[in-house]
Amino acid sequence: MSGKIVLVPTPIGNLGDITLRALEVLKSADRIACEDTRRSGILLAHHGVSGKPLVSLHEHNESRKAPELVAAAKAGEVIAFVSDAGMPGISDPGYRLVQACLEAEVDFEVLPGPSAVLMALIGSGMPCHAFRFGGFLSVKKGKRKEAMSAALESGETGIFFESPHRIVSTLEILTEIAPEAKVCVARELTKKFETYHRGTAAELLEWFKSHGTKGEMVILMNNAG
Ligand code: SAM
């Protein structure tokens, strides 16, 4: 009997953004590994997936847990993995699980699905033939400046995850290092207050200072004219 691990992307806000194939896999899996079993439980219940054994796999136990799940897959289980939202592995657990599958020569599959990275890129209106995703910007101002400068110098569209608590400070840095660059903050994608803020860093800075900085966000920048 051949088992496998399936990495299943989940919605980044709107619960309707899940594929038929993702639901089929979740319904037929022997077990579902979740970054947060309570959070995924809500999504599973919404889509009528009930009674599945859930097991937790998060950044703090992934190194230990991944080989265990892979061994179970080798013994014949089909195990689905869902992170809290979006594509597993993208600033989420998933990478070590894939590594463990490769090392143990266990089958794994990755389903296509939502990710804030690609959605923000296309919606920003910035060039999307070449881009660089840098994950979460650092909490340290110097490192943030370095990461954004490198993205701007590359000529490609730079994409980063940013916290609402730091967006003002990040826009201040951008205003200083790239006053002419095109900037976009894609906020609350697929949710009720989905908004793309487009302009220069100074324009966006003014907007966020006067309207507040709530929500999940992705910041994008391009200096190529
Ligand atoms: N794996 C996820 C993906 O593929 O989109 C990303 C997970 S990462 C832990 C969470 C960060 O992604 C958030 O802090 C935010 O920067 C970004 N993000 C996730 N959902 C978002 C949304 N609906 N709108 C804007 N940004 C979002």
Side-chain angles (χ1 to χ4, degrees):
M1 197 174 158
S2 66
K4 63 180 171 183
I5 300 281
V6 191
L7 287 91
V8 181
T10 53
I12 57 168
N14 185 323
L15 291 183
D17 293 331
I18 190 151
T19 67
L20 296 174
R21 201 167 148 222
L23 288 176
E24 258 168 46
V25 167
L26 293 171
K27 283 179 181 160
S28 63
D30 295 306
R31 268 199 284 176
I32 303 174
C34 312
E35 189 178 358
D36 177 340
T37 51
R38 262 201 321 190
R39 187 169 166 160
S40 299
I42 296 169
L43 174 77
L44 296 171
H46 178 85
H47 287 289
V49 182
S50 56
K52 285 280 160 195
L54 303 182
V55 43
S56 88
L57 182 141
H58 45 71
E59 63 171 324
H60 305 294
N61 74 358
E62 190 181 3
S63 309
R64 176 173 55 80
K65 202 80 194 166
E68 267 176 53
L69 294 177
V70 167
K74 200 161 200 164
E77 269 193 66
V78 174
I79 301 172
F81 172 62
V82 295
S83 64
D84 278 354
M87 189 56 91
I90 301 298
S91 298
D92 266 346
Y95 163 73
R96 290 193 185 93
L97 188 57
V98 170
Q99 279 289 312
C101 288
L102 289 168
E103 276 161 27
E105 298 183 350
V106 162
D107 280 353
F108 69 94
E109 232 179 316
V110 183
L111 302 193
S115 175
V117 180
L118 290 187
M119 186 176 170
L121 173 63
I122 311 307
S124 72
M126 291 188 188
C128 44
H129 55 276
F131 60 90
R132 44 195 283 165
F133 170 59
F136 276 101
L137 280 166
S138 171
V139 293
K140 295 190 178 142
K141 278 191 184 178
K143 286 202 167 167
R144 249 184 286 164
K145 186 171 173 177
E146 232 171 73
M148 292 193 291
S149 299
L152 288 161
E153 276 160 26
S154 75
E156 298 174 347
T157 296
I159 310 173
F160 299 93
F161 289 158
E162 183 53 298
S163 145
H165 307 297
R166 283 187 291 275
I167 190 69
V168 163
S169 144
T170 293
L171 286 168
E172 281 168 354
I173 297 171
L174 259 183
T175 303
E176 176 200 315
I177 63 173
E180 308 291 327
K182 284 183 185 156
V183 180
C184 174
V185 174
R187 205 161 53 94
E188 293 288 90
L189 297 174
T190 78
K191 304 185 208 175
K192 187 172 173 194
F193 296 109
E194 172 179 305
T195 318
Y196 290 92
H197 304 270
R198 304 180 186 88
T200 62
E203 286 164 349
L204 269 55
L205 182 58
E206 201 182 311
W207 193 92
F208 279 106
K209 272 184 167 170
S210 55
H211 292 82
T213 61
K214 284 201 189 114
E216 291 196 287
M217 46 187 75
V218 183
I219 183 165
L220 305 96
M221 56 208 70
N222 193 297
N223 216 359

